[in-house]
Amino acid sequence: MFRRRPRRGQGQGRRLSTRILASQVAILAVTSVIGFVLFAWAQRAQLDREYEQRALSIAEVAAWDPQIRAGMADPAEGSLVQTAAERITAASKASYVVVIDLRGVRHSHPVAGLIGKRVAEPIVVLDGLGHVGIDQGATGRSANGKAPLRGPSGAIIGEVSVGIPENNVIGQLWRELPTFALYAGIALAVGCAASYALARRLKRSTFGLELEEIAGLLQDREAMLHGIREGVIAFDPRGNITVVNDEARRLLGIDAALGLKPKDVLPEGRLRDVLDGTLPGTDLTVLTDRYCLVVNRMPVGLRGRELGAVVTVRDRTEMVGLLRELDSVRGLTDALRAQQHEFTNRMHILAGLLDLGEHDAAFEYVMESAGAEAALTESVRQRVGNPMMVGLIVAKSTVAAERGVGITLSEESQLGEEPPHLRGLLTIVGNLLDNAVDAAVSGAAATAGGAMAGGAMAGSARVCLSLLETPSAITVRVADSGPGVAPENAEVIFEDGWSTRPDRGTARRGLGLALVKRLVQHHGGTITVSNGAEAEAGTGAETGAAAGAVFTVVLPLSGSVPDPAARTAHANPFELAASGGDRW
């Protein structure tokens, strides 16, 4: 649950929903006032047009009044025009009704002193049409309408001008404004309610966090994600990538990934299965072309809502390498300790023979003991020319012997002094031998009913190594006397982290074969696994002993294709051991 952090500055102590509501209400109020003013202004213009048309209608009615037409036709009856104008003014509540002849002389006016005097503006109805406008006359501001006055013959003989006082327009506007204000108030109330609902929804969407807290969390997140030395990838509920920090981009080799799914940015394999949740578990080990990674995927939820998942990726390449090296050193140390014990026993035997005066027997014992190790090394060097590979095989054989496992190098093995893919070849052979020794120990223990004495297993726990270099490829075959590999596990044994045995010491299980497969694929080779019994059936050989797993690796040379004969030769390495292969 998020914890609120106090912030200083403007807005302190005010909730996010309150601040949003206040801001939106202020905006609504300002816009409502502006809208009200603009509406009133528009309504005022509309009323002016309506009153101008009303004034024009009154003027047209007056222009057809018989009394006015008679008064204009007969100058002797001129008083009829003023009388008719006053009557129409009173009936229509107009401000004035002024009758003007073509010379601009007034024949009627509410101000008696202006009758008989000329108007300043020209006659505008000579075109025979009515005209409207706002008049700033002697009676004040009025909505004005002017209509042509015609004589008995139909000719225009004058003009009738009618004005409606401005206060009539203002009064009408003030009578309508309360209704407009009511509408504006209703709209403002609805807007405030909608703003309140929106504020509450935003409050829920931000899990109760205030604006300053959200900004602070964003800053903290950016600093943390891009500052830590651990890869972080976040997914939304639909499985799309929403966050990838710099370390995750480096470790996974992805760049433009935001908004995409793991299947869009990663090839099919264990890594993609872990990221999208297909492969569950914690601290899952994943090997890439460059790194050994530990990946964890955790779902994220808050207050009952599923928010997606977060994946952390840790680089354990150096540490796993160091742990495996440390485990190998410990194995060599144990072997040296056992050899020291054996050396002490030999010295005791030698001292006893000398004490008994058996000098010839003592000499023969010394020569036999001194020549055993030299003979072992020389036997390997006859078939393997590279000194690094010789050292690896001798070291592995020494450790295996202390665990009661005998390693045999096939008689047909042949490797030059500078074989191609040497670094990868050393890793492949070392890992395959380690796995074969473990399997042979397990098989011997099962055969002996759990007896783990070295002498009890020496005769049954075996590993056979074959190294064959041809012009087209290098073939490595390692067979053991263990329980073998179940057919359904023939593919999964090469996956990262897969193992049937628990971790031993500091070494992590399930990495050796996965690393071997990646190295083989990197060099364009192939790796297969089968059971020794199947190999025997294919060759018709009889070894007289239980045969376990057989791993075959073919590494093609540059510009060549693996030799099919090299891949099928010596299907049962144990047959070579039985026929006289070297054992140490």
Side-chain angles (χ1 to χ4, degrees), residues 139-474:
T139 59
R141 192 173 187 271
S142 302
N144 179 255
K146 297 178 179 180
L149 178 60
R150 299 179 182 274
S153 63
I156 298 176
I157 60 174
E159 175 186 88
V160 177
S161 176
V162 177
I164 298 177
E166 176 71 12
N167 56 359
N168 288 1
V169 180
I170 299 299
Q172 180 67 26
L173 180 62
W174 279 108
R175 286 190 297 271
E176 294 180 358
L177 286 181
T179 303
F180 303 152
L182 177 61
Y183 294 158
I186 293 175
L188 179 61
V190 172
C192 291
S195 299
Y196 179 74
L198 177 61
R200 288 182 61 85
R201 180 176 180 181
L202 292 177
K203 188 70 172 179
R204 289 193 300 269
S205 299
T206 57
F207 301 102
L209 294 176
E210 305 300 335
L211 292 177
E212 293 81 4
E213 292 174 322
I214 295 174
L217 286 175
L218 178 60
Q219 295 174 358
D220 296 343
R221 191 200 74 164
E222 291 299 314
M224 178 187 67
L225 287 179
H226 299 288
I228 62 175
R229 299 298 297 172
E230 183 169 311
V232 177
I233 306 175
F235 298 89
D236 62 16
R238 296 177 295 177
N240 297 322
I241 299 174
T242 56
V243 174
V244 182
N245 71 343
D246 297 337
E247 186 68 3
R249 297 179 190 272
R250 182 182 72 87
L251 294 177
L252 303 182
I254 58 178
D255 187 14
L258 296 182
L260 303 177
K261 296 182 183 296
K263 65 179 181 180
D264 299 326
V265 296
L266 292 173
E268 184 179 359
R270 179 179 174 87
L271 178 59
R272 194 174 83 181
D273 293 340
V274 174
L275 291 185
D276 61 18
T278 303
L279 182 62
T282 59
D283 290 337
L284 298 177
T285 302
V286 177
L287 288 179
T288 66
D289 293 338
R290 298 180 58 187
Y291 305 104
C292 177
L293 307 177
V294 176
V295 184
N296 282 283
R297 189 179 194 274
M298 296 296 294
V300 178
L302 184 63
R303 299 179 183 177
R305 292 172 54 188
E306 182 182 353
L307 303 181
V310 172
V311 174
T312 58
V313 182
R314 288 171 287 171
D315 185 6
R316 291 293 181 267
T317 307
E318 294 183 1
M319 187 179 72
V320 170
L322 291 174
L323 290 177
R324 294 179 64 86
E325 184 177 351
L326 176 61
D327 190 71
S328 299
V329 171
R330 286 181 177 177
L332 290 175
T333 303
D334 293 339
L336 291 175
R337 187 179 296 111
Q339 287 185 346
Q340 180 184 6
H341 181 72
E342 180 67 19
F343 179 76
T344 302
N345 290 335
R346 292 178 181 180
M347 291 298 100
H348 288 165
I349 294 174
L350 181 61
L353 291 175
L354 293 175
D355 188 47
L356 293 175
E358 299 290 341
H359 299 91
D360 293 339
F363 179 76
E364 292 179 1
Y365 181 75
V366 169
M367 294 303 296
E368 180 183 354
S369 300
E373 297 296 334
L376 168 64
T377 304
E378 184 62 26
S379 175
V380 176
R381 289 187 63 88
Q382 290 179 358
R383 297 174 176 83
V384 179
N386 183 265
M388 297 179 65
M389 183 62 72
V390 173
L392 174 67
I393 296 175
V394 172
K396 293 293 183 182
S397 66
T398 302
V399 176
E402 295 304 324
R403 300 182 64 187
V405 179
I407 300 182
T408 303
L409 180 64
S410 67
E411 290 184 347
E412 296 186 6
S413 294
Q414 189 66 41
L415 191 68
E417 294 186 2
E418 296 294 336
H421 316 307
L422 178 60
R423 293 180 62 87
L425 191 63
L426 290 170
T427 302
I428 291 170
V429 172
N431 281 292
L432 290 180
L433 286 177
D434 287 341
N435 281 277
V437 169
D438 288 340
V441 171
S442 300
T447 302
M452 299 299 293
M457 290 189 295
S460 60
R462 294 181 294 164
V463 173
C464 184
L465 169 65
S466 174
L467 295 172
L468 181 60
E469 181 180 359
T470 65
S472 60
I474 296 177

Side-chain angles (χ1 to χ4, degrees), residues 478-496:
V478 178
D480 60 69
S481 59
V485 178
E488 62 271 15
N489 295 332
E491 294 295 333
V492 297
I493 60 173
F494 297 107
E495 293 182 0
D496 312 343

